[in-house]
Amino acid sequence: MVINEIRLNEDSRRIQKAVQQPQQGQWTNWDNALQKSLTWNEIWHMAPLRISFLIRSVYDLLPSNANLVRWGKKEDPTCPLCQGRQTTEHVLSSCRIALSQGRYTWRHNRVLQELAAVISTAKGETTLPNTNALIFTTEGGAKSWHGRPVRTTNQIKCLLDGCDDWDVSADLPEWDSHPSIIKETRLRPDIMIHSDSTQQLIMVELTVPYENRMEEAHTYKREKYMNLTKE
């Protein structure tokens, strides 16, 4: 208990100091990011330029015009596209000209393509129910399979387990369009996973915000699709 209390106090003191430092404290903006544990083997096989970019972007050490001015390498901190102050955040997510030119949309769609491809592959690896044994939940009753108790010998390992007619559509030109029940609305979730046999729809929405706006972007997207989810 004493060790834990000391550790908590030291962590709190460290964070308070880091927040006051404009560059060394940049990592505090990542509080809402999902934590990923990297192994030395993964780091070893990363391209050196990628590791360098990731580390320097976390601490705002990339050669943006604002940083070049601060380092005495340049006199003008403005963005050549929109004439705003060119910081790392500005380049990656805040330039209105880059937004109008579709640069951020291009980045978003490249990530979306990867997600859609992985989900499309996963739908072919689902487990179908087997009516030989009962599965129980922590709620005290038989596991509800799409609203009814079922017998199965296979534990549910994946959200897609349970049927083999999942259809994946994505809000991308080269992918199939969303089902009619979604097309009737004005909203276009990034990915729709739907099953005719079980009458299920799963919406996947991707956001690529700057690190200090993760929570804001998450709240915005949840509210945007709240009514569609209820309907």
Side-chain angles (χ1 to χ4, degrees):
M1 289 175 63
V2 171
I3 292 174
N4 286 337
E5 187 65 27
I6 293 175
R7 181 178 289 115
L8 287 174
N9 289 336
E10 287 299 319
D11 285 345
S12 177
R13 189 178 298 112
R14 179 172 62 95
I15 292 174
Q16 289 176 8
K17 182 178 180 181
V19 168
Q20 300 172 9
Q21 298 174 319
Q23 286 191 302
Q24 294 90 334
Q26 284 291 318
W27 58 270
T28 59
N29 293 329
W30 293 59
D31 286 345
N32 295 316
L34 292 175
Q35 299 300 310
K36 176 175 173 58
S37 179
L38 288 174
T39 65
W40 281 111
N41 186 54
E42 289 175 311
I43 296 174
W44 181 260
H45 286 90
M46 281 186 183
L49 285 177
R50 182 184 178 193
I51 296 177
S52 174
F53 177 84
L54 290 174
I55 294 175
R56 291 193 296 165
S57 64
V58 170
Y59 292 101
D60 191 21
L61 295 176
L62 292 171
S64 63
N65 284 345
N67 278 343
L68 291 174
V69 169
R70 182 164 60 245
W71 301 334
K73 303 292 186 180
K74 200 170 184 179
E75 296 182 356
D76 184 8
T78 60
C79 170
L81 293 178
C82 70
Q83 305 308 308
R85 188 169 182 269
Q86 192 198 61
T87 61
T88 300
E89 178 179 356
H90 179 89
V91 173
L92 295 179
S93 69
S94 301
C95 178
R96 63 179 186 274
I97 301 300
L99 175 63
S100 65
Q101 291 177 347
R103 299 189 185 198
Y104 301 146
T105 302
W106 179 89
R107 179 181 60 192
H108 171 278
N109 287 349
R110 296 293 78 72
V111 179
L112 183 58
Q113 283 179 336
E114 294 291 332
L115 283 176
V118 170
I119 293 174
S120 184
T121 300
K123 75 173 185 177
E125 302 172 354
T126 56
T127 301
L128 296 178
N130 186 312
T131 57
N132 292 324
L134 278 174
I135 287 181
F136 292 91
T137 67
T138 55
E139 299 174 356
K143 185 174 182 65
S144 175
W145 187 271
H146 310 306
R148 61 185 184 278
V150 297
R151 294 178 176 273
T152 176
T153 55
N154 298 316
Q155 279 287 39
I156 305 305
K157 299 179 182 179
C158 172
L159 180 64
L160 302 181
D161 284 351
C163 64
D164 59 355
D165 67 336
W166 290 112
D167 190 16
V168 180
S169 57
D171 190 21
L172 292 167
E174 61 272 25
W175 280 74
D176 293 337
S177 59
H178 290 333
S180 58
I181 192 173
I182 298 298
K183 288 194 289 188
E184 291 173 357
T185 73
R186 295 182 178 180
L187 296 176
R188 292 291 182 271
D190 284 325
I191 297 176
M192 288 298 309
I193 312 168
H194 45 99
S195 165
D196 289 334
S197 65
T198 61
Q199 293 295 293
Q200 279 190 311
L201 289 170
I202 302 172
M203 291 188 294
V204 180
E205 184 63 20
L206 169 68
T207 308
V208 189
Y210 201 67
E211 281 66 30
N212 59 9
R213 293 195 293 272
M214 284 185 174
E215 191 65 30
E216 176 186 340
H218 175 69
T219 301
Y220 167 74
K221 284 300 181 74
R222 286 192 66 89
E223 292 179 351
K224 178 180 179 180
Y225 291 98
M226 187 66 68
N227 290 334
L228 181 60
T229 302
K230 292 178 180 178
E231 292 173 6

PDB file of all heavy atoms in Angstrom, residues 5-37:
ATOM      1  N   GLU A   5       0.991   4.067  -2.980  1.00  0.00           N
ATOM      2  CA  GLU A   5       0.711   5.466  -2.688  1.00  0.00           C
ATOM      3  C   GLU A   5       1.842   6.364  -3.178  1.00  0.00           C
ATOM      4  O   GLU A   5       1.614   7.434  -3.752  1.00  0.00           O
ATOM      5  CB  GLU A   5       0.502   5.643  -1.180  1.00  0.00           C
ATOM      6  CG  GLU A   5       0.031   7.032  -0.774  1.00  0.00           C
ATOM      7  CD  GLU A   5      -1.345   7.351  -1.322  1.00  0.00           C
ATOM      8  OE1 GLU A   5      -2.135   6.412  -1.547  1.00  0.00           O
ATOM      9  OE2 GLU A   5      -1.630   8.554  -1.531  1.00  0.00           O
ATOM     10  N   ILE A   6       3.071   5.922  -2.966  1.00  0.00           N
ATOM     11  CA  ILE A   6       4.225   6.689  -3.445  1.00  0.00           C
ATOM     12  C   ILE A   6       4.217   6.770  -4.964  1.00  0.00           C
ATOM     13  O   ILE A   6       4.474   7.824  -5.554  1.00  0.00           O
ATOM     14  CB  ILE A   6       5.537   6.041  -2.947  1.00  0.00           C
ATOM     15  CG1 ILE A   6       5.650   6.170  -1.422  1.00  0.00           C
ATOM     16  CG2 ILE A   6       6.759   6.690  -3.612  1.00  0.00           C
ATOM     17  CD1 ILE A   6       6.834   5.453  -0.829  1.00  0.00           C
ATOM     18  N   ARG A   7       3.890   5.640  -5.606  1.00  0.00           N
ATOM     19  CA  ARG A   7       3.854   5.624  -7.073  1.00  0.00           C
ATOM     20  C   ARG A   7       2.790   6.583  -7.607  1.00  0.00           C
ATOM     21  O   ARG A   7       3.019   7.320  -8.573  1.00  0.00           O
ATOM     22  CB  ARG A   7       3.577   4.203  -7.565  1.00  0.00           C
ATOM     23  CG  ARG A   7       3.551   4.095  -9.094  1.00  0.00           C
ATOM     24  CD  ARG A   7       3.318   2.684  -9.567  1.00  0.00           C
ATOM     25  NE  ARG A   7       4.487   1.843  -9.308  1.00  0.00           N
ATOM     26  CZ  ARG A   7       4.495   0.809  -8.467  1.00  0.00           C
ATOM     27  NH1 ARG A   7       3.394   0.502  -7.801  1.00  0.00           N
ATOM     28  NH2 ARG A   7       5.586   0.103  -8.300  1.00  0.00           N
ATOM     29  N   LEU A   8       1.615   6.591  -6.981  1.00  0.00           N
ATOM     30  CA  LEU A   8       0.547   7.492  -7.403  1.00  0.00           C
ATOM     31  C   LEU A   8       0.962   8.951  -7.242  1.00  0.00           C
ATOM     32  O   LEU A   8       0.707   9.787  -8.112  1.00  0.00           O
ATOM     33  CB  LEU A   8      -0.724   7.217  -6.604  1.00  0.00           C
ATOM     34  CG  LEU A   8      -1.477   5.922  -6.949  1.00  0.00           C
ATOM     35  CD1 LEU A   8      -2.632   5.700  -5.975  1.00  0.00           C
ATOM     36  CD2 LEU A   8      -1.998   5.977  -8.372  1.00  0.00           C
ATOM     37  N   ASN A   9       1.608   9.267  -6.134  1.00  0.00           N
ATOM     38  CA  ASN A   9       2.058  10.643  -5.903  1.00  0.00           C
ATOM     39  C   ASN A   9       3.105  11.061  -6.918  1.00  0.00           C
ATOM     40  O   ASN A   9       3.093  12.197  -7.425  1.00  0.00           O
ATOM     41  CB  ASN A   9       2.612  10.785  -4.481  1.00  0.00           C
ATOM     42  CG  ASN A   9       1.522  10.720  -3.422  1.00  0.00           C
ATOM     43  OD1 ASN A   9       0.361  11.015  -3.708  1.00  0.00           O
ATOM     44  ND2 ASN A   9       1.874  10.330  -2.205  1.00  0.00           N
ATOM     45  N   GLU A  10       4.027  10.163  -7.234  1.00  0.00           N
ATOM     46  CA  GLU A  10       5.082  10.475  -8.196  1.00  0.00           C
ATOM     47  C   GLU A  10       4.500  10.648  -9.600  1.00  0.00           C
ATOM     48  O   GLU A  10       4.896  11.554 -10.350  1.00  0.00           O
ATOM     49  CB  GLU A  10       6.149   9.375  -8.197  1.00  0.00           C
ATOM     50  CG  GLU A  10       7.041   9.371  -6.968  1.00  0.00           C
ATOM     51  CD  GLU A  10       7.810  10.664  -6.822  1.00  0.00           C
ATOM     52  OE1 GLU A  10       8.303  11.197  -7.834  1.00  0.00           O
ATOM     53  OE2 GLU A  10       7.905  11.173  -5.684  1.00  0.00           O
ATOM     54  N   ASP A  11       3.544   9.780  -9.959  1.00  0.00           N
ATOM     55  CA  ASP A  11       2.896   9.906 -11.271  1.00  0.00           C
ATOM     56  C   ASP A  11       2.151  11.222 -11.383  1.00  0.00           C
ATOM     57  O   ASP A  11       2.187  11.890 -12.424  1.00  0.00           O
ATOM     58  CB  ASP A  11       1.935   8.742 -11.502  1.00  0.00           C
ATOM     59  CG  ASP A  11       2.655   7.445 -11.828  1.00  0.00           C
ATOM     60  OD1 ASP A  11       3.857   7.511 -12.150  1.00  0.00           O
ATOM     61  OD2 ASP A  11       2.019   6.373 -11.751  1.00  0.00           O
ATOM     62  N   SER A  12       1.453  11.591 -10.325  1.00  0.00           N
ATOM     63  CA  SER A  12       0.713  12.854 -10.335  1.00  0.00           C
ATOM     64  C   SER A  12       1.656  14.039 -10.480  1.00  0.00           C
ATOM     65  O   SER A  12       1.397  14.973 -11.251  1.00  0.00           O
ATOM     66  CB  SER A  12      -0.099  12.988  -9.043  1.00  0.00           C
ATOM     67  OG  SER A  12      -0.773  14.223  -9.001  1.00  0.00           O
ATOM     68  N   ARG A  13       2.779  14.014  -9.778  1.00  0.00           N
ATOM     69  CA  ARG A  13       3.762  15.098  -9.856  1.00  0.00           C
ATOM     70  C   ARG A  13       4.387  15.155 -11.253  1.00  0.00           C
ATOM     71  O   ARG A  13       4.611  16.238 -11.807  1.00  0.00           O
ATOM     72  CB  ARG A  13       4.844  14.886  -8.797  1.00  0.00           C
ATOM     73  CG  ARG A  13       5.794  16.060  -8.632  1.00  0.00           C
ATOM     74  CD  ARG A  13       6.822  15.821  -7.533  1.00  0.00           C
ATOM     75  NE  ARG A  13       6.162  15.667  -6.240  1.00  0.00           N
ATOM     76  CZ  ARG A  13       6.127  14.520  -5.557  1.00  0.00           C
ATOM     77  NH1 ARG A  13       6.695  13.423  -6.058  1.00  0.00           N
ATOM     78  NH2 ARG A  13       5.530  14.450  -4.390  1.00  0.00           N
ATOM     79  N   ARG A  14       4.636  13.994 -11.814  1.00  0.00           N
ATOM     80  CA  ARG A  14       5.240  13.929 -13.151  1.00  0.00           C
ATOM     81  C   ARG A  14       4.290  14.503 -14.205  1.00  0.00           C
ATOM     82  O   ARG A  14       4.708  15.256 -15.083  1.00  0.00           O
ATOM     83  CB  ARG A  14       5.578  12.469 -13.482  1.00  0.00           C
ATOM     84  CG  ARG A  14       6.186  12.244 -14.855  1.00  0.00           C
ATOM     85  CD  ARG A  14       6.650  10.804 -14.990  1.00  0.00           C
ATOM     86  NE  ARG A  14       5.551   9.877 -14.877  1.00  0.00           N
ATOM     87  CZ  ARG A  14       4.874   9.366 -15.906  1.00  0.00           C
ATOM     88  NH1 ARG A  14       5.205   9.713 -17.138  1.00  0.00           N
ATOM     89  NH2 ARG A  14       3.890   8.518 -15.723  1.00  0.00           N
ATOM     90  N   ILE A  15       2.998  14.148 -14.105  1.00  0.00           N
ATOM     91  CA  ILE A  15       2.016  14.645 -15.076  1.00  0.00           C
ATOM     92  C   ILE A  15       1.835  16.151 -14.927  1.00  0.00           C
ATOM     93  O   ILE A  15       1.742  16.885 -15.927  1.00  0.00           O
ATOM     94  CB  ILE A  15       0.672  13.908 -14.891  1.00  0.00           C
ATOM     95  CG1 ILE A  15       0.842  12.434 -15.300  1.00  0.00           C
ATOM     96  CG2 ILE A  15      -0.422  14.563 -15.729  1.00  0.00           C
ATOM     97  CD1 ILE A  15      -0.383  11.581 -15.034  1.00  0.00           C
ATOM     98  N   GLN A  16       1.793  16.660 -13.693  1.00  0.00           N
ATOM     99  CA  GLN A  16       1.646  18.097 -13.480  1.00  0.00           C
ATOM    100  C   GLN A  16       2.801  18.866 -14.109  1.00  0.00           C
ATOM    101  O   GLN A  16       2.612  19.927 -14.712  1.00  0.00           O
ATOM    102  CB  GLN A  16       1.571  18.392 -11.983  1.00  0.00           C
ATOM    103  CG  GLN A  16       0.282  17.939 -11.319  1.00  0.00           C
ATOM    104  CD  GLN A  16       0.290  18.155  -9.829  1.00  0.00           C
ATOM    105  OE1 GLN A  16       1.205  18.781  -9.283  1.00  0.00           O
ATOM    106  NE2 GLN A  16      -0.708  17.622  -9.134  1.00  0.00           N
ATOM    107  N   LYS A  17       4.007  18.318 -13.985  1.00  0.00           N
ATOM    108  CA  LYS A  17       5.174  18.959 -14.576  1.00  0.00           C
ATOM    109  C   LYS A  17       5.133  18.876 -16.099  1.00  0.00           C
ATOM    110  O   LYS A  17       5.453  19.845 -16.803  1.00  0.00           O
ATOM    111  CB  LYS A  17       6.452  18.302 -14.056  1.00  0.00           C
ATOM    112  CG  LYS A  17       7.728  18.942 -14.576  1.00  0.00           C
ATOM    113  CD  LYS A  17       8.955  18.275 -13.980  1.00  0.00           C
ATOM    114  CE  LYS A  17      10.236  18.918 -14.512  1.00  0.00           C
ATOM    115  NZ  LYS A  17      11.444  18.258 -13.941  1.00  0.00           N
ATOM    116  N   ALA A  18       4.703  17.712 -16.626  1.00  0.00           N
ATOM    117  CA  ALA A  18       4.681  17.517 -18.073  1.00  0.00           C
ATOM    118  C   ALA A  18       3.676  18.443 -18.754  1.00  0.00           C
ATOM    119  O   ALA A  18       3.936  18.956 -19.843  1.00  0.00           O
ATOM    120  CB  ALA A  18       4.356  16.056 -18.397  1.00  0.00           C
ATOM    121  N   VAL A  19       2.521  18.658 -18.115  1.00  0.00           N
ATOM    122  CA  VAL A  19       1.482  19.501 -18.710  1.00  0.00           C
ATOM    123  C   VAL A  19       1.995  20.914 -18.939  1.00  0.00           C
ATOM    124  O   VAL A  19       1.585  21.604 -19.870  1.00  0.00           O
ATOM    125  CB  VAL A  19       0.225  19.505 -17.813  1.00  0.00           C
ATOM    126  CG1 VAL A  19      -0.744  20.592 -18.240  1.00  0.00           C
ATOM    127  CG2 VAL A  19      -0.459  18.143 -17.865  1.00  0.00           C
ATOM    128  N   GLN A  20       2.924  21.371 -18.092  1.00  0.00           N
ATOM    129  CA  GLN A  20       3.448  22.731 -18.193  1.00  0.00           C
ATOM    130  C   GLN A  20       4.517  22.867 -19.278  1.00  0.00           C
ATOM    131  O   GLN A  20       4.946  23.976 -19.594  1.00  0.00           O
ATOM    132  CB  GLN A  20       4.035  23.154 -16.843  1.00  0.00           C
ATOM    133  CG  GLN A  20       3.016  23.150 -15.716  1.00  0.00           C
ATOM    134  CD  GLN A  20       3.651  23.376 -14.360  1.00  0.00           C
ATOM    135  OE1 GLN A  20       4.831  23.707 -14.268  1.00  0.00           O
ATOM    136  NE2 GLN A  20       2.879  23.184 -13.300  1.00  0.00           N
ATOM    137  N   GLN A  21       4.953  21.749 -19.861  1.00  0.00           N
ATOM    138  CA  GLN A  21       6.005  21.782 -20.876  1.00  0.00           C
ATOM    139  C   GLN A  21       5.363  21.621 -22.258  1.00  0.00           C
ATOM    140  O   GLN A  21       4.728  20.610 -22.534  1.00  0.00           O
ATOM    141  CB  GLN A  21       7.022  20.667 -20.627  1.00  0.00           C
ATOM    142  CG  GLN A  21       7.736  20.813 -19.288  1.00  0.00           C
ATOM    143  CD  GLN A  21       8.624  19.633 -18.984  1.00  0.00           C
ATOM    144  OE1 GLN A  21       8.258  18.491 -19.233  1.00  0.00           O
ATOM    145  NE2 GLN A  21       9.802  19.896 -18.444  1.00  0.00           N
ATOM    146  N   PRO A  22       5.514  22.610 -23.135  1.00  0.00           N
ATOM    147  CA  PRO A  22       4.798  22.599 -24.415  1.00  0.00           C
ATOM    148  C   PRO A  22       5.161  21.433 -25.321  1.00  0.00           C
ATOM    149  O   PRO A  22       4.307  20.928 -26.060  1.00  0.00           O
ATOM    150  CB  PRO A  22       5.184  23.934 -25.048  1.00  0.00           C
ATOM    151  CG  PRO A  22       6.462  24.335 -24.370  1.00  0.00           C
ATOM    152  CD  PRO A  22       6.363  23.796 -22.981  1.00  0.00           C
ATOM    153  N   GLN A  23       6.416  20.979 -25.306  1.00  0.00           N
ATOM    154  CA  GLN A  23       6.808  19.884 -26.201  1.00  0.00           C
ATOM    155  C   GLN A  23       6.995  18.568 -25.453  1.00  0.00           C
ATOM    156  O   GLN A  23       6.441  17.542 -25.841  1.00  0.00           O
ATOM    157  CB  GLN A  23       8.089  20.248 -26.952  1.00  0.00           C
ATOM    158  CG  GLN A  23       7.857  21.281 -28.048  1.00  0.00           C
ATOM    159  CD  GLN A  23       9.069  21.430 -28.944  1.00  0.00           C
ATOM    160  OE1 GLN A  23      10.150  21.753 -28.476  1.00  0.00           O
ATOM    161  NE2 GLN A  23       8.886  21.222 -30.224  1.00  0.00           N
ATOM    162  N   GLN A  24       7.761  18.584 -24.361  1.00  0.00           N
ATOM    163  CA  GLN A  24       7.971  17.338 -23.622  1.00  0.00           C
ATOM    164  C   GLN A  24       6.678  16.781 -23.057  1.00  0.00           C
ATOM    165  O   GLN A  24       6.550  15.582 -22.820  1.00  0.00           O
ATOM    166  CB  GLN A  24       8.969  17.555 -22.477  1.00  0.00           C
ATOM    167  CG  GLN A  24      10.376  17.887 -22.936  1.00  0.00           C
ATOM    168  CD  GLN A  24      10.584  19.390 -23.085  1.00  0.00           C
ATOM    169  OE1 GLN A  24       9.631  20.130 -23.310  1.00  0.00           O
ATOM    170  NE2 GLN A  24      11.837  19.830 -22.947  1.00  0.00           N
ATOM    171  N   GLY A  25       5.678  17.652 -22.860  1.00  0.00           N
ATOM    172  CA  GLY A  25       4.415  17.209 -22.291  1.00  0.00           C
ATOM    173  C   GLY A  25       3.356  16.871 -23.312  1.00  0.00           C
ATOM    174  O   GLY A  25       2.190  16.675 -22.956  1.00  0.00           O
ATOM    175  N   GLN A  26       3.742  16.783 -24.580  1.00  0.00           N
ATOM    176  CA  GLN A  26       2.756  16.489 -25.624  1.00  0.00           C
ATOM    177  C   GLN A  26       2.082  15.133 -25.426  1.00  0.00           C
ATOM    178  O   GLN A  26       0.926  14.947 -25.804  1.00  0.00           O
ATOM    179  CB  GLN A  26       3.426  16.528 -27.003  1.00  0.00           C
ATOM    180  CG  GLN A  26       3.707  17.930 -27.516  1.00  0.00           C
ATOM    181  CD  GLN A  26       2.436  18.677 -27.863  1.00  0.00           C
ATOM    182  OE1 GLN A  26       1.521  18.130 -28.452  1.00  0.00           O
ATOM    183  NE2 GLN A  26       2.375  19.939 -27.477  1.00  0.00           N
ATOM    184  N   TRP A  27       2.765  14.201 -24.800  1.00  0.00           N
ATOM    185  CA  TRP A  27       2.196  12.862 -24.631  1.00  0.00           C
ATOM    186  C   TRP A  27       0.953  12.873 -23.741  1.00  0.00           C
ATOM    187  O   TRP A  27       0.149  11.930 -23.769  1.00  0.00           O
ATOM    188  CB  TRP A  27       3.234  11.909 -24.037  1.00  0.00           C
ATOM    189  CG  TRP A  27       3.782  12.348 -22.706  1.00  0.00           C
ATOM    190  CD1 TRP A  27       4.874  13.133 -22.501  1.00  0.00           C
ATOM    191  CD2 TRP A  27       3.257  12.036 -21.419  1.00  0.00           C
ATOM    192  NE1 TRP A  27       5.072  13.340 -21.159  1.00  0.00           N
ATOM    193  CE2 TRP A  27       4.090  12.675 -20.475  1.00  0.00           C
ATOM    194  CE3 TRP A  27       2.169  11.296 -20.963  1.00  0.00           C
ATOM    195  CZ2 TRP A  27       3.866  12.584 -19.104  1.00  0.00           C
ATOM    196  CZ3 TRP A  27       1.948  11.213 -19.597  1.00  0.00           C
ATOM    197  CH2 TRP A  27       2.792  11.844 -18.685  1.00  0.00           C
ATOM    198  N   THR A  28       0.765  13.933 -22.953  1.00  0.00           N
ATOM    199  CA  THR A  28      -0.420  13.992 -22.098  1.00  0.00           C
ATOM    200  C   THR A  28      -1.699  14.156 -22.914  1.00  0.00           C
ATOM    201  O   THR A  28      -2.795  13.960 -22.386  1.00  0.00           O
ATOM    202  CB  THR A  28      -0.308  15.153 -21.093  1.00  0.00           C
ATOM    203  OG1 THR A  28      -0.160  16.395 -21.800  1.00  0.00           O
ATOM    204  CG2 THR A  28       0.894  14.962 -20.179  1.00  0.00           C
ATOM    205  N   ASN A  29      -1.585  14.549 -24.197  1.00  0.00           N
ATOM    206  CA  ASN A  29      -2.762  14.659 -25.055  1.00  0.00           C
ATOM    207  C   ASN A  29      -3.297  13.298 -25.486  1.00  0.00           C
ATOM    208  O   ASN A  29      -4.359  13.204 -26.086  1.00  0.00           O
ATOM    209  CB  ASN A  29      -2.432  15.466 -26.318  1.00  0.00           C
ATOM    210  CG  ASN A  29      -2.127  16.918 -26.007  1.00  0.00           C
ATOM    211  OD1 ASN A  29      -2.662  17.484 -25.061  1.00  0.00           O
ATOM    212  ND2 ASN A  29      -1.260  17.525 -26.804  1.00  0.00           N
ATOM    213  N   TRP A  30      -2.559  12.236 -25.198  1.00  0.00           N
ATOM    214  CA  TRP A  30      -2.925  10.901 -25.660  1.00  0.00           C
ATOM    215  C   TRP A  30      -3.674  10.106 -24.599  1.00  0.00           C
ATOM    216  O   TRP A  30      -3.793   8.889 -24.691  1.00  0.00           O
ATOM    217  CB  TRP A  30      -1.670  10.130 -26.068  1.00  0.00           C
ATOM    218  CG  TRP A  30      -0.990  10.690 -27.271  1.00  0.00           C
ATOM    219  CD1 TRP A  30      -0.483  11.951 -27.433  1.00  0.00           C
ATOM    220  CD2 TRP A  30      -0.734  10.019 -28.506  1.00  0.00           C
ATOM    221  NE1 TRP A  30       0.077  12.099 -28.669  1.00  0.00           N
ATOM    222  CE2 TRP A  30      -0.061  10.934 -29.356  1.00  0.00           C
ATOM    223  CE3 TRP A  30      -1.004   8.745 -28.973  1.00  0.00           C
ATOM    224  CZ2 TRP A  30       0.337  10.599 -30.637  1.00  0.00           C
ATOM    225  CZ3 TRP A  30      -0.601   8.410 -30.248  1.00  0.00           C
ATOM    226  CH2 TRP A  30       0.059   9.329 -31.071  1.00  0.00           C
ATOM    227  N   ASP A  31      -4.221  10.774 -23.573  1.00  0.00           N
ATOM    228  CA  ASP A  31      -4.879  10.071 -22.478  1.00  0.00           C
ATOM    229  C   ASP A  31      -6.030   9.200 -22.953  1.00  0.00           C
ATOM    230  O   ASP A  31      -6.298   8.141 -22.388  1.00  0.00           O
ATOM    231  CB  ASP A  31      -5.399  11.062 -21.430  1.00  0.00           C
ATOM    232  CG  ASP A  31      -4.262  11.651 -20.591  1.00  0.00           C
ATOM    233  OD1 ASP A  31      -3.161  11.076 -20.644  1.00  0.00           O
ATOM    234  OD2 ASP A  31      -4.476  12.662 -19.901  1.00  0.00           O
ATOM    235  N   ASN A  32      -6.759   9.650 -23.981  1.00  0.00           N
ATOM    236  CA  ASN A  32      -7.935   8.922 -24.438  1.00  0.00           C
ATOM    237  C   ASN A  32      -7.619   7.913 -25.539  1.00  0.00           C
ATOM    238  O   ASN A  32      -8.523   7.265 -26.055  1.00  0.00           O
ATOM    239  CB  ASN A  32      -8.994   9.908 -24.949  1.00  0.00           C
ATOM    240  CG  ASN A  32      -9.529  10.792 -23.840  1.00  0.00           C
ATOM    241  OD1 ASN A  32      -9.820  10.306 -22.754  1.00  0.00           O
ATOM    242  ND2 ASN A  32      -9.647  12.085 -24.092  1.00  0.00           N
ATOM    243  N   ALA A  33      -6.343   7.790 -25.888  1.00  0.00           N
ATOM    244  CA  ALA A  33      -5.967   6.834 -26.935  1.00  0.00           C
ATOM    245  C   ALA A  33      -5.940   5.420 -26.360  1.00  0.00           C
ATOM    246  O   ALA A  33      -5.605   5.210 -25.201  1.00  0.00           O
ATOM    247  CB  ALA A  33      -4.590   7.188 -27.499  1.00  0.00           C
ATOM    248  N   LEU A  34      -6.335   4.447 -27.193  1.00  0.00           N
ATOM    249  CA  LEU A  34      -6.245   3.060 -26.759  1.00  0.00           C
ATOM    250  C   LEU A  34      -4.776   2.689 -26.574  1.00  0.00           C
ATOM    251  O   LEU A  34      -3.937   2.987 -27.422  1.00  0.00           O
ATOM    252  CB  LEU A  34      -6.882   2.133 -27.795  1.00  0.00           C
ATOM    253  CG  LEU A  34      -8.402   2.255 -27.953  1.00  0.00           C
ATOM    254  CD1 LEU A  34      -8.875   1.355 -29.094  1.00  0.00           C
ATOM    255  CD2 LEU A  34      -9.114   1.878 -26.674  1.00  0.00           C
ATOM    256  N   GLN A  35      -4.487   2.039 -25.462  1.00  0.00           N
ATOM    257  CA  GLN A  35      -3.107   1.671 -25.170  1.00  0.00           C
ATOM    258  C   GLN A  35      -2.715   0.432 -25.962  1.00  0.00           C
ATOM    259  O   GLN A  35      -3.464  -0.544 -26.043  1.00  0.00           O
ATOM    260  CB  GLN A  35      -2.938   1.407 -23.674  1.00  0.00           C
ATOM    261  CG  GLN A  35      -3.255   2.612 -22.802  1.00  0.00           C
ATOM    262  CD  GLN A  35      -2.348   3.788 -23.116  1.00  0.00           C
ATOM    263  OE1 GLN A  35      -1.133   3.644 -23.166  1.00  0.00           O
ATOM    264  NE2 GLN A  35      -2.939   4.946 -23.341  1.00  0.00           N
ATOM    265  N   LYS A  36      -1.546   0.474 -26.575  1.00  0.00           N
ATOM    266  CA  LYS A  36      -1.033  -0.676 -27.318  1.00  0.00           C
ATOM    267  C   LYS A  36       0.340  -1.030 -26.775  1.00  0.00           C
ATOM    268  O   LYS A  36       1.224  -0.180 -26.695  1.00  0.00           O
ATOM    269  CB  LYS A  36      -0.932  -0.370 -28.813  1.00  0.00           C
ATOM    270  CG  LYS A  36      -0.316  -1.511 -29.621  1.00  0.00           C
ATOM    271  CD  LYS A  36      -0.342  -1.211 -31.098  1.00  0.00           C
ATOM    272  CE  LYS A  36       0.418  -2.245 -31.900  1.00  0.00           C
ATOM    273  NZ  LYS A  36      -0.087  -3.616 -31.704  1.00  0.00           N
ATOM    274  N   SER A  37       0.497  -2.273 -26.376  1.00  0.00           N
ATOM    275  CA  SER A  37       1.769  -2.726 -25.840  1.00  0.00           C
ATOM    276  C   SER A  37       2.650  -3.230 -26.981  1.00  0.00           C
ATOM    277  O   SER A  37       2.353  -4.248 -27.607  1.00  0.00           O
ATOM    278  CB  SER A  37       1.547  -3.844 -24.813  1.00  0.00           C
ATOM    279  OG  SER A  37       2.781  -4.293 -24.303  1.00  0.00           O
TER     280      SER A  37
END
